[in-house]
Amino acid sequence: MELLDLPGLYSIYPKSQDEEVVFQVLRQKDHRDHPDLVIVVMDATNLERNLFLATQILDLGIPTLLIANMIDLMDKDQVGVNLEKLSELLGGVPLVPFNARTGQDLALLKSVLLEVPLEVMPSPHTQEFMNLEEWNTGRQEEAALGEARYKRIRQILSFCQPLPRKRSVRHQKWDQILTHPVWGYLIFLSLLALIFQTIFAWSEVPMNLIDTVFLTLSQWTQATLPNGSLTDLISQGLIPGLGGVMIFIPQIALLFGFIFVLEETGYMARVVFITDRLMRPFGLNGRSIVPLISGVACAIPAVMATRTIDHWKERLITIMVVPLMSCSARLPVYTLLIALVVPDVSWGIFNLKGMVLMALYLVGFVAALFSALLFKWILKTKEKSFLVMELPDYKTPRWSNLGITMLEKCKVFVWEAGKVILAISVILWILASYGPGDQMASAIAKIPVPTESAQQADYQQQVKSVALEHSYIGIAGKWMEPAIQPLGYNWQIGISLITSFVAREVFVGSMATIYSVGETFESDQTLLERMSHQRNGLGKPVYTLASGISLMLFYAFAMQCMSTLAVVRRETKSWKWPLIQLVYMTALAYISALIAFNLLN
Amino acid sequence: MTLDQVSNSSRSYIVKDIKKDPLMTKLIDMGLFPGKEIRLLFKAPFGDPIAIDVQGYTLSLRREEAALISIE
């Protein structure tokens, strides 16, 4: 038996893209996913509205099994619906009470599922769905049909539900606090701070571990396999590429873990509720806030988290601007450059270096909002934005589903984005390792080979540096120098801009290779020293406040993350949007870096 | 009067009519049909959106969406 989980909906008439999918699957008998049996899971505490969809599906003429879920709450609220009577009034359709939270009676449900007759219950209303092709033109008629349906449901329920349900007031106090104009935002912001602290704290160890494992694996293959280009490809291209995919898993898993808990408890709907008004002027809605803020950790899970936005245009805008939020991969770049060019000045507790870092995060957020505004004007849509949304009761999350969600999200990322990331990192590795003709070999041959073994390490670093300079990427870096010179950069930075495409933090490593020093600049000051002594053709320092700020702005805005592009392609199902994103973000980066450099220089 | 004008959360109203609009069917789907008893629960900061009780469940609506619903 194959079970297919369809997106949740309130009515069979589609109002968004995922509802359209359900509509097609259920209506077209020859659709490849058309089911033999539809299982409609209803909220037993709210039968009137849930029967709306259930009776529509019954009327479609597909064999149906109804499940009255959350039956424990129905008993608690003493709604007391006579389910046998209800089933009878609906034409004898099988109706099973259930409690998914405890899973009790699961065996009973399974046995019912096997025995349920795969035949259509006679429905007097099948007529409604005869010419559904025209439903789009007859909205007025659709509304009238909806009203008539509710009248019929009320009638049916009046026979089997003696007391209409009263609103339970048990959660109203929570709503008073969580949607409060002051407390509501304060609680939300503190929760966010806590979540990010936890994500950074908890993901550090596994991320370092993944890093070490792949580094060891790469060294091991290099040492074990016979020398040659294939070995180099595996140990320096393929394995680090794989590692570059896996390194994101801890952050993705944790972020989605937290989002799951916020969704399940019902809190997320309140966040949407209190932020909707603030986001609306920018072409976004309340549901955009979580992806935007998740972008501070990493744009990849953030783009994946936009799926909760059912309005396509608003979802697309959110996807387009999320990578402008300063993600954690930018942090090492900011740290290095701030240490290099920002003077050590303090006013009381405020330190200029810290202020610059904060300003970079702010500037990313502001750029995201204004780009959203721009897309709001450009993109056209017929879909109307709405926020008619249910605010669910507060519940404790089902912890057993937490692990499943985290695993599922990681799997999607590794399979879908992983393919592209792996391919591009292999290509970039080839471009960084090979050059045209024998330029690279002859340049390396010119470096004097040391006689003492103490200088061996230094020699190796020089070889690496010269090899990168004469590789295809090195040549490209020099070739693009005229284009980036107005921003205050030299060809060394050009090379790092290209290699950063694997991931932004690669900037630090590339700089270290180019200036042939060790990579750990925090413990080892050599990289900082070498960079600060760099002079341009006129004998002036390359890394000044002007070029440093220009470079930081470039990193803040430029789309230099192929993993994000891969995920955007997956989420939008086309290369069009990631390409637009690449172009507009690079343009934004170039222009703002150009302005900053010329203002400060 | 329309639902967006309500500020009193202690009394219930009956949905009288829903204005013709692309959102009309969405509102009906969600259970806001003429004859339904509703009550304002609370408002978001800046008074928009609002949350209403629809005989046992809570719906949120933007003000412009609430303006489509006439009540008595």
Side-chain angles (χ1 to χ4, degrees):
Chain A
M1 197 186 297
E2 197 189 332
L3 281 172
L4 181 68
D5 183 20
L6 295 169
L9 59 165
Y10 290 97
S11 163
I12 195 80
Y13 294 111
K15 292 183 184 58
S16 67
Q17 283 189 329
D18 48 349
E19 291 178 8
E20 182 75 36
V21 172
V22 184
F23 184 60
Q24 297 304 341
V25 166
L26 294 181
R27 197 178 61 94
Q28 296 172 355
K29 295 263 188 283
D30 53 352
H31 194 285
R32 72 186 159 91
D33 286 326
H34 188 77
D36 303 313
L37 175 80
V38 182
I39 304 172
V40 183
V41 185
M42 303 186 293
D43 174 354
T45 63
N46 187 6
L47 278 174
E48 184 178 278
R49 210 201 53 218
N50 279 263
L51 279 169
F52 188 78
L53 176 69
T55 56
Q56 280 180 331
I57 289 173
L58 282 173
D59 289 352
L60 272 176
I62 310 170
T64 306
L65 167 67
L66 300 182
I67 294 176
N69 192 22
M70 297 169 40
I71 202 74
D72 54 324
L73 288 180
M74 184 177 99
D75 293 339
K76 205 157 82 197
D77 286 356
Q78 296 174 322
V79 189
V81 178
N82 184 340
L83 292 178
E84 278 159 40
K85 182 95 181 169
L86 180 62
S87 156
E88 191 190 309
L89 288 169
L90 289 171
V93 58
L95 200 169
V96 186
F98 195 62
N99 180 359
R101 205 157 262 277
T102 59
Q104 89 190 56
D105 298 332
L106 188 63
L108 177 76
L109 179 64
K110 279 181 179 163
S111 68
V112 173
L113 199 53
L114 291 173
E115 289 163 14
V116 76
L118 292 182
E119 59 192 51
V120 183
M121 296 298 146
S123 160
H125 294 267
T126 319
Q127 210 62 22
E128 186 186 319
F129 290 94
M130 281 310 179
N131 43 14
L132 269 182
E133 285 77 11
E134 292 146 45
W135 77 269
N136 221 348
T137 52
R139 294 223 163 221
Q140 186 63 40
E141 199 185 336
E142 189 195 323
L145 286 172
E147 246 185 273
R149 183 175 294 280
Y150 268 120
K151 286 225 173 78
R152 186 178 138 229
I153 291 168
R154 282 204 151 173
Q155 213 169 15
I156 291 175
L157 278 176
S158 67
F159 288 113
C160 36
Q161 186 176 21
L163 302 160
R165 189 190 172 202
K166 289 250 158 39
R167 160 83 187 171
S168 52
V169 286
R170 55 191 155 182
H171 296 127
Q172 285 221 31
K173 262 192 205 135
W174 280 101
D175 276 329
Q176 297 285 331
I177 301 167
L178 294 178
T179 64
H180 188 273
V182 178
W183 297 119
Y185 294 120
L186 266 181
I187 291 171
F188 176 51
L189 288 177
S190 354
L191 252 176
L192 278 180
L194 192 73
I195 288 174
F196 280 116
Q197 282 297 313
T198 321
I199 288 178
F200 284 122
W202 289 0
S203 65
E204 201 190 328
V205 173
M207 279 172 93
N208 287 340
L209 192 72
I210 293 169
D211 210 27
T212 316
V213 166
F214 279 91
L215 196 69
T216 318
L217 199 64
S218 153
Q219 285 164 347
W220 182 81
T221 38
Q222 187 77 57
T224 317
L225 295 178
N227 273 340
S229 352
L230 187 65
T231 303
D232 284 350
L233 176 67
I234 294 172
S235 66
Q236 291 164 28
L238 216 56
I239 293 175
L242 265 177
V245 178
M246 302 297 174
I247 196 91
F248 290 113
I249 289 181
Q251 284 193 352
I252 292 181
L254 282 171
L255 195 61
F256 277 103
F258 282 114
I259 291 180
F260 173 82
V261 173
L262 295 183
E263 293 260 16
E264 279 274 294
T265 50
Y267 179 63
M268 196 68 99
R270 273 74 185 179
V271 172
V272 173
F273 186 75
I274 60 170
T275 53
D276 183 68
R277 186 70 193 85
L278 304 174
M279 307 302 284
R280 229 185 293 161
F282 298 100
L284 303 165
N285 77 27
R287 295 179 200 274
S288 315
I289 197 83
V290 170
L292 275 183
I293 289 162
S294 310
V296 178
C298 177
I300 296 157
V303 168
M304 287 159 73
T306 60
R307 287 194 193 175
T308 52
I309 307 173
D310 36 26
H311 188 263
W312 169 243
K313 180 179 161 184
E314 287 170 345
R315 176 164 175 226
L316 190 60
I317 295 179
T318 313
I319 290 178
M320 295 305 273
V321 305
V322 149
L324 285 171
M325 302 295 286
S326 275
C327 66
S328 54
R330 284 162 169 113
L331 200 54
V333 183
Y334 292 164
T335 322
L336 174 70
L337 291 172
I338 286 177
L340 196 60
V341 300
V342 178
D344 214 348
V345 190
S346 298
W347 305 275
I349 53 161
F350 296 107
N351 176 284
L352 186 60
K353 291 184 187 230
M355 304 276 276
V356 169
L357 186 64
M358 202 183 78
L360 284 166
Y361 276 89
L362 269 178
V363 117
F365 180 61
V366 171
L369 286 185
F370 282 95
S371 310
L373 204 57
L374 192 70
F375 281 111
K376 183 191 167 189
W377 281 331
I378 295 169
L379 296 172
K380 295 276 170 274
T381 179
K382 270 190 232 151
E383 253 182 286
K384 191 172 171 177
S385 159
F386 60 86
L387 197 85
V388 189
M389 162 186 89
E390 197 171 346
L391 293 176
D393 283 347
Y394 294 102
K395 296 186 197 79
T396 44
R398 277 164 294 178
W399 299 110
S400 58
N401 287 1
L402 178 66
I404 299 174
T405 309
M406 289 162 76
L407 196 71
E408 207 49 50
K409 293 292 177 187
C410 293
K411 242 164 67 184
V412 167
F413 168 71
V414 170
W415 286 121
E416 296 296 330
K419 283 182 278 190
V420 180
I421 299 170
L422 198 59
I424 300 182
S425 38
V426 169
I427 293 171
L428 277 178
W429 174 81
I430 291 172
L431 293 179
S433 315
Y434 296 92
D438 56 356
Q439 282 180 24
M440 194 190 275
S442 58
I444 290 173
K446 280 187 199 139
I447 310 170
V449 181
T451 42
E452 287 167 51
S453 61
Q455 290 164 332
Q456 199 63 34
D458 202 37
Y459 171 71
Q460 287 300 337
Q461 269 165 355
Q462 278 186 40
V463 169
K464 261 187 174 171
S465 167
V466 168
L468 184 58
E469 189 185 332
H470 290 88
S471 69
Y472 288 107
I473 283 187
I475 291 162
K478 284 183 180 165
W479 175 78
M480 67 190 265
E481 197 174 25
I484 55 175
Q485 214 154 25
L487 313 182
Y489 312 158
N490 54 12
W491 60 264
Q492 285 92 337
I493 297 177
I495 292 176
S496 299
L497 290 183
I498 301 173
T499 54
S500 284
F501 207 68
V502 177
R504 293 179 177 92
E505 65 271 27
V506 169
F507 174 81
V508 179
S510 292
M511 280 293 168
T513 308
I514 294 165
Y515 294 124
S516 49
V517 290
E519 284 194 16
T520 46
F521 76 92
E522 278 113 337
S523 56
D524 178 2
Q525 293 289 309
T526 10
L527 178 59
L528 278 180
E529 264 167 41
R530 292 249 172 120
M531 284 174 78
S532 62
H533 289 129
Q534 287 296 310
R535 294 279 183 273
N536 65 12
L538 302 168
K540 289 194 178 137
V542 172
Y543 298 96
T544 59
L545 186 65
S547 68
I549 296 283
S550 150
L551 194 53
M552 280 189 267
L553 279 177
F554 193 90
Y555 269 85
F557 296 145
M559 169 44 99
Q560 290 163 299
C561 177
M562 59 173 176
S563 318
T564 305
L565 289 175
V567 169
V568 171
R569 192 204 72 87
R570 191 200 130 75
E571 294 295 317
T572 60
K573 303 259 182 289
S574 91
W575 278 109
K576 180 183 163 191
W577 297 111
L579 283 176
I580 292 176
Q581 201 168 34
L582 178 66
V583 171
Y584 103 83
M585 287 179 67
T586 310
L588 179 64
Y590 189 89
I591 293 166
S592 35
L594 183 69
I595 294 173
F597 181 69
N598 284 299
L599 279 182
L600 293 167
N601 205 15
Chain B
M1 80 195 248
T2 49
L3 180 57
D4 60 315
Q5 295 162 332
V6 174
S7 54
N8 182 352
S9 62
S10 56
R11 69 159 281 205
S12 302
Y13 296 86
I14 305 285
V15 176
K16 201 166 74 182
D17 188 31
I18 295 176
K19 218 170 135 192
K20 274 179 214 162
D21 185 271
L23 276 178
M24 179 185 187
T25 51
K26 178 74 190 172
L27 293 170
I28 291 179
D29 289 351
M30 301 293 280
L32 291 168
F33 53 90
K36 192 91 177 188
E37 195 183 318
I38 54 174
R39 187 166 65 87
L40 177 73
L41 286 176
F42 48 88
K43 292 182 175 184
F46 314 109
D48 186 18
I50 62 168
I52 56 168
D53 172 54
V54 190
Q55 287 178 334
Y57 58 97
T58 311
L59 279 188
S60 85
L61 298 163
R62 289 181 181 160
R63 276 185 72 104
E64 56 178 48
E65 291 153 6
L68 299 172
I69 301 167
S70 18
I71 48 170
E72 58 186 6

